[in-house]
Amino acid sequence: MIHHPQRFVDVILPLPLPGKFTYSVPEEMNGELQPGVRVIVQFGKKKFYSALIHRIHNEEPSGYEIKSIETVLDKQPVVHPELFEFWEWIASYYHCSLGEVMKAALPSGLKLESETRVIFNPEFEEDKNDLSSRERLILTFLRIRKISSVSDLNRADEKGNAYSVIKSLLSRGAISVEESLRSGYKPRTETFVRLAEAYSGESRLTELVDDLSRAPKQQELLMRFLEYTRFGNEEAIPEYSKKRLLEKVGTTTATLNTLIKKGVFELAERRVDRLSQYAGNIREGFELSQAQEQAYAEIEQNLEEKQVTLLHGVTSSGKTEIYIRLIKKYIQENKQVLYLLPEIALTTQIVQRLKQVFGDKAGIYHSRFNDAERVEIWNKVLNFDPESDENQYQVIIGARSSVFLPYRFPGLIIVDEEHENSYKQFDPAPRYHARDAAIVLSHLTGARVLLGTATPAIESYFNALSGKYGLVELSERFKQIELPKILTADLRDAYKRKQMRGHFTPLLFEEIEKALEANEQVILFQNRRGFAPFIECKTCGWVPKCKHCDVSLTYHKHNNSLVCHYCGYTIHHPTNCQACGSNEINTKGFGTEKIEDEVSLIFPEARIARMDLDTTRARKSFEKIIHDYDSGKIDILIGTQMVTKGLDFQNVSVVGILNADNLLNYPDFRAYERSYQLMAQVSGRAGRKYRQGKVIIQTSEPDHHIIQQVIQNDYLGMYKGQLAERKHFKYPPYYRLIGLVLKHRDKREVERIANQLASMLKRSFRSRVLGPEDPVINRIQNWYIKQFWLKIEREISIVSAKKKLQEILDEVKTQPGNSGVQINIDVDPM
Ligand code: ADP
Ligand code: ZN
Ligand code: ZN
């Protein structure tokens, strides 16, 4: 092969700077480089980054001194260069740099920077002969220091550049990078039984088997070992997992130990694939019901004709079973499938259901996984080979960032619960929407997209009705179980008549009581966590607020503290009012913790669990609550919207929504749409298996049209009403929104700059500018915040609008005195 001289590369640096950066290629690296390969380059005076090669060329740039590449990290690309087109779309549409997209796309294990902190793994068993002298040096350094930055390791390395050493140690599991610390990283090892060298010859072995005839258990163990390892078929010394061997043979460790003492076997620790292997039984998908069969056929038809299809199926209609059937079809065609789910739903039953059908063909990509696991999945997706028979990941089940995995043969992308706003990344940039990104990816790769939900986003339904997307409706529940019966309980009335018990109306109270008597389960939904949203002095009205944010502190009873839900600032509950000294301090409003407290008093016999951000921080706690509830160890589950995410329980007969008013009254143009979605989704948890369930909505406005629409399961009514509002007030889907967020440490400065920006914006965008406004919380972590909205007609080119916008922002930022301002752009804010 002839290598053409490679003189320059353009790389993507993981930085919020526009453009690509050019470096020269040292002669010895000539021929090694390809687009998509990572290299270490210096940027700025001291900093080193792993950058991605975007293009290789011979065009010498002029005007600045060119640095050369320090190190090449990969032999093969870690990203298919074809994917860059997708990255470029994200960068351009969501208005950020390619580097920011790179940061979002690559798992941290593939992103080394000089500031990255590297951590020693105490459980790593070092095999001296395996490591190079440089690797041993770095490992020793780390063993003493426990944790160190990449730049310190560079100094320790004999060549002054430890990147390739770090990379190799990372892949052995000897070290990890910082993120792993938080997720409790441990490389998985497993004990293997291996045949001692001395017995590896055929004749010695035959002798041995004869010798053991008086120890039948030992003999059996040996024979089975040889059978499982298919001794004789392979050159290598046979090994087998100790655990599995003992399980399969059904013998004790004692037998094995005897053979080890006799020198027949040895034990060896082996690092195994961290991605745990599926151990359960594989089942076929269920046979579809007639209605499901019909929907499936329509979906197939639509997928042939349209890029995107929306499946609007009521809760518990069996959407998951339909997805399963569809995924099977794409697997048979040797395609890759991406199944997107909201983050939290990834830890639940849905994943188990999919694992049951797809076993080790299904991989999960999740933020609670550590770096090494994520890098392994990345590589498996990257190296997927449609021709190979080996068990490979062909179905990826993942949260929004899995849209960035390097698929080469994607056939289908399913976006489950497509209405969920957690598909949108708020911070940092890229502020992308995974559903919309998936649709763009499908256009670039030829894959198809299926959106599924019981409560479509207004934008999606709009696209479906206008013919842009295919639309499939599935309006009956599986086994034709009726949708739950929804009743309202009038809060105002119950308070007036003094009938409330804590936050429970008589109706909700009675229904819970009946359910408990019948041994059925209850779900109680309250939108807020904590005990009380705030406390207030009864005498003077003083409310304790966060020092850093403009928000009142939330009372948490279990540790008697007041916590800021925006920054985590925590203080002890004061005994006296800090304004007037009074000791009469009241709690106001209520959160999940308060409800839990009340339930335990009102229903002392019931077994209760609470599911919210506070109780599910640990990696497995969410699963545990779900599992306990599912297996009937819990009677009443109290939770925030987490209880709505893709859960399928058999025995829930009552769902209570404690206060619908605070959903409806949220100041946002999507508040009604979201309230509808939330209430319909929570209600959908009731009566899924055997018979009709009941839902009680507590509200002071029982006649509110949104509540009435929830009761009548009138999605279309909600949709039409909201659409009219959207049109009238110039919101999506008729207009595009671009949000601008200004932050400054100084309150007066942010106001001044916001006003300056306002007049400049209005000169170009006129009445399309809304703002400056105070957001709901106008100070977070000591940043004062102002916001704007631009409402842009669909007919206007968004590209030129954004270009104009960028010009204005650049101008504002470079004005004297404006350097302290930060401005974020959020395209299609949620
Ligand atoms: P959805 O995702 O639409 O809310 P699910 O797929 O979770 O609905 O289905 C609801 C319940 O009905 C689940 O327990 C599921 O296993 C069961 N189910 C759905 N379709 C079938 C089927 N064809 N055969 C057997 N069980 C089914
Ligand atoms: Zn007071
Ligand atoms: Zn705060």
Side-chain angles (χ1 to χ4, degrees):
M1 198 164 83
I2 305 161
H3 287 303
H4 297 286
Q6 301 176 319
R7 295 184 50 214
F8 300 100
V9 291
D10 292 343
V11 302
I12 307 172
L13 279 170
L15 296 171
L17 300 171
K20 287 150 215 147
F21 299 84
T22 306
Y23 288 83
S24 65
V25 180
E27 206 155 324
E28 72 272 16
M29 290 178 197
N30 236 307
E32 277 186 54
L33 303 178
Q34 299 177 53
V37 157
R38 291 173 307 152
V39 291
I40 299 291
V41 295
Q42 187 178 5
F43 186 79
K45 277 224 168 59
K46 282 198 213 117
K47 293 204 168 153
F48 289 86
Y49 295 93
S50 57
L52 264 182
I53 298 182
H54 185 269
R55 193 169 77 95
I56 302 172
H57 57 89
N58 284 324
E59 302 147 27
E60 176 152 23
S62 57
Y64 58 96
E65 195 199 333
I66 275 234
K67 294 197 182 85
S68 67
I69 296 173
E70 301 282 328
T71 310
V72 187
L73 286 183
D74 306 305
K75 290 213 162 56
Q76 296 299 323
V78 296
V79 176
H80 313 297
E82 304 92 83
L83 263 184
F84 289 145
E85 204 183 332
F86 179 49
W87 290 18
E88 266 159 27
W89 180 83
I90 300 262
S92 135
Y93 187 80
Y94 292 107
H95 210 82
C96 64
S97 77
L98 261 185
E100 286 169 308
V101 180
M102 170 183 165
K103 275 186 107 157
L106 292 183
S108 3
L110 292 178
K111 290 177 296 197
L112 293 175
E113 299 175 13
S114 23
E115 307 304 303
T116 305
R117 289 162 26 108
V118 180
I119 297 140
F120 178 70
N121 169 23
E123 292 180 34
F124 176 68
E125 290 186 32
E126 178 177 337
D127 186 346
K128 285 264 172 347
N129 307 320
D130 258 15
L131 299 177
S132 73
S133 67
R134 280 171 75 197
E135 286 168 348
R136 263 180 309 202
L137 180 76
I138 291 293
L139 207 56
T140 311
F141 183 81
L142 265 174
R143 185 177 289 121
I144 298 161
R145 301 263 292 252
K146 304 281 186 282
I147 181 162
S148 168
S149 70
V150 169
S151 44
D152 284 348
L153 293 179
N154 283 340
R155 270 189 287 274
D157 180 61
E158 62 191 37
K159 292 194 179 161
N161 180 347
Y163 283 99
S164 52
V165 179
I166 294 171
K167 186 194 161 205
S168 143
L169 290 174
L170 265 174
S171 69
R172 289 166 195 270
I175 57 174
S176 55
V177 291
E178 180 156 57
E179 272 206 0
S180 343
L181 190 66
R182 273 181 266 135
S183 54
Y185 170 76
K186 269 190 199 156
R188 262 165 54 93
T189 59
E190 199 176 327
T191 311
F192 276 75
V193 175
R194 57 187 271 171
L195 196 63
E197 185 95 54
Y199 288 97
S200 58
E202 192 94 34
S203 56
R204 282 283 278 145
L205 209 55
T206 324
E207 239 171 76
L208 175 64
V209 173
D210 288 343
D211 283 354
L212 288 177
S213 60
R214 261 162 300 143
K217 276 190 188 159
Q218 292 171 34
Q219 191 186 41
E220 196 200 344
L221 186 64
L222 176 63
M223 300 293 284
R224 301 280 287 271
F225 172 86
L226 296 173
E227 178 192 329
Y228 299 147
T229 55
R230 307 208 285 147
F231 178 74
N233 292 338
E234 285 170 43
E235 299 287 288
I237 293 183
E239 290 193 349
Y240 203 74
S241 151
K242 175 179 164 192
K243 185 159 163 268
R244 271 190 295 161
L245 181 66
L246 293 181
E247 265 167 22
K248 280 177 117 172
V249 181
T251 188
T252 58
T253 333
T255 316
L256 177 65
N257 286 345
T258 316
L259 284 170
I260 293 170
K261 263 194 216 127
K262 288 186 181 169
V264 177
F265 285 138
E266 299 165 348
L267 293 184
E269 285 297 309
R270 287 281 174 266
R271 246 194 61 213
V272 290
D273 202 334
R274 281 183 208 76
L275 308 167
S276 55
Q277 251 141 39
Y278 180 70
N281 294 326
I282 297 287
R283 68 163 173 91
E284 287 288 304
F286 290 121
E287 211 163 298
L288 298 187
S289 70
Q290 212 183 343
Q292 290 168 343
E293 200 64 67
Q294 164 91 24
Y296 178 81
E298 287 176 31
I299 292 171
E300 267 196 321
Q301 177 80 35
N302 274 290
L303 287 176
E304 275 186 21
E305 292 160 9
K306 309 251 175 174
Q307 192 73 37
V308 183
T309 298
L310 171 66
L311 168 61
H312 177 211
V314 293
T315 52
S316 208
S317 54
K319 294 186 287 298
T320 319
E321 296 303 325
I322 295 178
Y323 302 149
I324 288 174
R325 165 85 86 82
L326 206 58
I327 294 171
K328 284 192 157 174
K329 177 179 148 176
Y330 280 85
I331 287 187
Q332 261 158 19
E333 293 170 8
N334 291 334
K335 296 285 194 186
Q336 290 170 298
V337 177
L338 167 61
Y339 188 135
L340 282 171
L341 276 166
E343 180 77 36
I344 196 78
L346 275 175
T347 54
T348 64
Q349 304 148 320
I350 284 199
V351 172
Q352 283 167 27
R353 269 166 80 185
L354 295 167
K355 273 280 188 189
Q356 275 168 16
V357 179
F358 300 109
D360 290 334
K361 276 195 159 59
I364 300 158
Y365 195 67
H366 192 252
S367 72
R368 290 193 183 194
F369 285 1
N370 61 51
D371 300 333
E373 284 168 325
R374 279 192 272 175
V375 173
E376 273 182 35
I377 297 180
W378 180 280
N379 288 332
K380 285 200 172 194
V381 172
L382 182 76
N383 298 322
F384 172 74
D385 174 4
E387 304 292 314
S388 155
D389 296 330
E390 264 181 55
N391 233 358
Q392 315 181 68
Y393 282 167
Q394 217 168 329
V395 187
I396 293 293
I397 309 161
R400 66 169 178 253
S401 65
S402 54
V403 77
F404 287 115
L405 285 167
Y407 310 98
R408 280 176 82 182
F409 306 92
L412 176 70
I413 305 174
I414 294 170
V415 186
D416 198 4
E417 310 292 355
E418 64 86 26
H419 65 281
E420 268 290 326
N421 58 351
S422 58
Y423 279 127
K424 170 88 179 176
Q425 172 149 315
F426 287 89
D427 237 353
R431 297 182 174 81
Y432 66 102
H433 196 298
R435 175 197 60 210
D436 301 343
I439 292 172
V440 170
L441 184 65
S442 80
H443 280 285
L444 295 173
T445 58
R448 294 292 158 131
V449 177
L450 178 64
L451 311 177
T453 174
T455 52
I458 296 217
E459 286 88 338
S460 301
Y461 210 64
F462 182 80
N463 284 331
L465 289 188
S466 70
K468 192 169 166 196
Y469 299 170
L471 177 62
V472 177
E473 300 269 358
L474 179 55
S475 51
E476 80 177 34
R477 285 185 141 190
F478 177 64
K479 286 205 176 143
Q480 289 151 342
I481 288 170
E482 283 179 86
L483 279 164
K485 192 176 167 77
I486 303 178
L487 306 168
T488 55
D490 190 334
L491 279 171
R492 204 173 295 168
D493 190 58
Y495 272 110
K496 208 159 57 193
R497 294 170 195 267
K498 300 207 178 341
Q499 291 171 328
M500 294 293 284
R501 292 204 191 191
H503 290 88
F504 292 81
T505 54
L507 178 62
L508 180 54
F509 174 82
E510 278 160 30
E511 291 298 338
I512 297 174
E513 204 166 43
K514 273 195 265 174
L516 293 177
E517 264 162 32
N519 263 324
E520 293 163 344
Q521 289 172 303
V522 176
I523 289 179
L524 296 176
F525 169 76
Q526 167 57 15
N527 211 19
R528 286 199 175 107
R529 63 195 166 94
F531 190 81
F534 58 96
I535 62 169
E536 188 185 71
C537 169
K538 219 174 162 181
T539 318
C540 77
W542 172 75
V543 175
K545 293 199 154 187
C546 176
K547 246 168 82 174
H548 315 292
C549 312
D550 200 8
V551 65
S552 52
L553 295 171
T554 303
Y555 175 44
H556 286 244
K557 189 182 177 200
H558 68 100
N559 54 4
N560 198 31
S561 64
L562 300 175
V563 180
C564 171
H565 281 184
Y566 286 83
C567 75
Y569 172 74
T570 305
I571 56 169
H572 222 66
H573 187 303
T575 44
N576 291 92
C577 169
Q578 284 168 22
C580 76
S582 155
N583 59 7
E584 278 195 294
I585 295 178
N586 277 347
T587 56
K588 285 276 173 179
F590 60 104
T592 43
E593 197 189 330
K594 169 98 177 178
I595 296 303
E596 183 186 22
D597 219 48
E598 285 183 8
V599 170
S600 66
L601 291 174
I602 307 177
F603 304 103
E605 311 280 272
R607 296 160 301 170
I608 317 168
R610 171 161 62 95
M611 187 157 80
D612 56 30
L613 210 59
D614 298 316
T615 61
T616 54
R617 281 188 219 278
R619 181 164 168 162
K620 292 272 179 207
S621 47
F622 191 81
E623 281 107 314
K624 174 153 187 354
I625 298 173
I626 303 280
H627 181 263
D628 286 354
Y629 192 68
D630 213 12
S631 56
K633 287 187 204 152
I634 294 168
D635 303 309
I636 304 180
L637 179 64
I638 301 151
T640 55
Q641 38 255 56
M642 272 186 197
V643 296
T644 65
K645 309 278 191 259
L647 299 178
D648 178 30
F649 299 121
Q650 319 282 310
N651 195 30
V652 179
S653 64
V654 173
V655 166
I657 295 173
L658 283 147
N659 189 327
D661 305 347
N662 53 31
L663 294 175
L664 291 165
N665 297 333
Y666 195 78
D668 183 289
F669 75 94
R670 287 199 174 89
Y672 283 4
E673 178 190 356
R674 287 220 182 104
S675 304
Y676 181 93
Q677 288 163 339
L678 253 171
M679 287 191 270
Q681 293 285 353
V682 187
S683 305
R685 302 311 116 198
R688 284 172 79 89
K689 254 296 154 53
Y690 305 110
R691 67 195 129 75
Q692 197 184 21
K694 248 185 209 168
V695 178
I696 317 293
I697 302 180
Q698 299 196 135
T699 170
S700 46
E701 285 180 88
D703 295 329
H704 195 292
H705 62 280
I706 292 290
I707 293 184
Q708 288 305 315
Q709 284 157 348
V710 173
I711 291 175
Q712 282 143 26
N713 185 32
D714 183 14
Y715 174 82
L716 203 60
M718 186 281 292
Y719 168 78
K720 285 185 178 152
Q722 288 305 297
L723 209 58
E725 302 263 302
R726 300 282 181 91
K727 189 165 197 172
H728 185 251
F729 294 105
K730 304 191 170 173
Y731 279 112
Y734 297 102
Y735 286 72
R736 276 178 209 277
L737 277 188
I738 299 180
L740 292 180
V741 177
L742 272 66
K743 295 182 188 173
H744 202 290
R745 292 287 186 190
D746 186 313
K747 189 162 193 264
R748 250 172 283 158
E749 282 292 286
V750 81
E751 275 164 18
R752 181 183 63 76
I753 300 168
N755 289 332
Q756 202 178 26
L757 179 60
S759 61
M760 289 167 71
L761 285 172
K762 280 176 186 159
R763 228 174 293 143
S764 299
F765 291 96
R766 300 168 197 281
S767 63
R768 299 182 188 90
V769 184
L770 215 71
E773 285 180 352
D774 281 335
V776 179
I777 313 292
N778 64 15
R779 182 176 56 121
I780 295 178
Q781 287 189 302
N782 287 327
W783 289 90
Y784 291 87
I785 306 167
K786 288 278 173 191
Q787 68 188 16
F788 287 89
W789 309 101
L790 296 182
K791 295 177 175 178
I792 315 270
E793 296 92 320
R794 287 262 150 194
E795 301 73 47
I796 292 184
S797 149
I798 181 102
V799 177
S800 50
K802 277 187 290 194
K803 199 163 156 241
K804 184 78 220 161
L805 176 61
Q806 189 60 51
E807 282 166 23
I808 295 174
L809 295 183
D810 288 343
E811 199 182 330
V812 167
K813 281 195 228 168
T814 48
Q815 298 269 319
N818 286 3
S819 61
V821 72
Q822 271 188 20
I823 307 179
N824 292 336
I825 298 178
D826 189 0
V827 179
D828 302 340
M830 293 288 283

